[in-house]
Amino acid sequence: MFLVRKPSELSGGEAQRVGIVRALAANPKLILMDEPFSALDPLSKRQLQNLILKLHHELPTTFIFVTHDMQEAIKLADRLAVIHDGTLQQFGTPNDILASPTNDFVRDFFDDGQSRKQFMKQVLAAGYGRPVQTADEVTVLKDENTIYDWAEVVAETPEMLVQVNQQVLTGADLIAYMSTLG
């Protein structure tokens, strides 16, 4: 199907997939992707983000991904570098950066206001968490707490579990939930 089509006959998402395959054909140790999904529709963008995540876990290749889409960065990165005016502002895991921004620029860069509008009851409704087990050491939050409150708990003690009603959530749940926002 694709073998007989000309590049101009491919959709944006198809062209990006072909570009990814071409880049991987040489079995490189490193791939630089400079805003590869910025011009795509949301569905194609989400599908390609998931493809990159899958490839990253299956291949011994490092992906350096440049983006101005902070939700995309949180979803795709195992480590983030925040650069402003050519200066590295902060480097770390998405969880570390979200929980403990090193300065006002980093804090404002990731804060589009959405985190303060997302409540713990929305996290539970989205299916995150697992049932409480009596041996768990937890910090208790209420339905009306925001995910910003949750991030503050994770910043203080990254391995701390958070209990909301009868569900327990981890820092990884926070990152997974935030990657769905946008």
Side-chain angles (χ1 to χ4, degrees):
M1 173 171 158
F2 292 105
L3 291 174
V4 297
R5 291 171 61 190
K6 294 183 172 31
S8 63
E9 297 172 333
L10 298 175
S11 71
E14 291 168 340
Q16 288 298 73
R17 284 178 184 85
V18 169
I20 292 167
V21 169
R22 287 181 63 212
L24 290 171
N27 198 25
K29 292 181 181 182
L30 176 78
I31 292 180
L32 173 61
M33 302 179 85
D34 188 0
E35 300 212 44
F37 309 147
S38 62
L40 298 178
D41 64 271
L43 178 61
S44 294
K45 186 175 188 173
R46 203 167 28 256
Q47 289 171 343
L48 285 166
Q49 288 170 344
N50 291 336
L51 174 63
I52 291 299
L53 284 172
K54 182 178 183 224
L55 291 171
H56 176 65
H57 291 293
E58 292 178 0
L59 300 173
T61 303
T62 298
F63 291 82
I64 297 178
F65 200 95
V66 177
T67 183
H68 289 91
D69 180 337
M70 294 308 95
Q71 298 307 318
E72 182 171 67
I74 291 166
K75 179 177 182 174
L76 295 178
D78 53 15
R79 287 180 297 255
L80 289 172
V82 181
I83 300 170
H84 178 62
D85 288 337
T87 303
L88 180 65
Q89 301 293 309
Q90 188 168 358
F91 179 79
T93 68
N95 193 32
D96 291 342
I97 292 174
L98 290 171
S100 300
T102 57
N103 58 39
D104 290 339
F105 175 80
V106 175
R107 181 179 298 103
D108 293 344
F109 198 60
F110 283 92
D111 184 13
D112 60 2
Q114 286 300 103
S115 63
R116 288 171 176 79
K117 297 175 190 170
Q118 297 294 317
F119 299 95
M120 297 307 294
K121 61 185 165 196
Q122 293 167 288
V123 175
L124 297 180
Y128 290 90
R130 60 176 170 80
V132 172
Q133 297 181 3
T134 56
D136 291 335
E137 181 181 338
V138 300
T139 294
V140 177
L141 293 178
K142 298 179 180 175
D143 280 354
E144 63 270 11
N145 283 108
T146 67
I147 62 173
Y148 186 75
D149 299 321
W150 185 12
E152 288 178 3
V153 170
V154 172
E156 194 171 302
T157 311
E159 65 280 351
M160 179 60 69
L161 301 175
V162 170
Q163 179 179 338
V164 181
N165 299 333
Q166 296 303 310
Q167 293 293 108
V168 173
L169 299 138
T170 66
D173 289 322
L174 173 62
I175 292 171
Y177 180 75
M178 289 189 74
S179 74
T180 68
L181 301 177

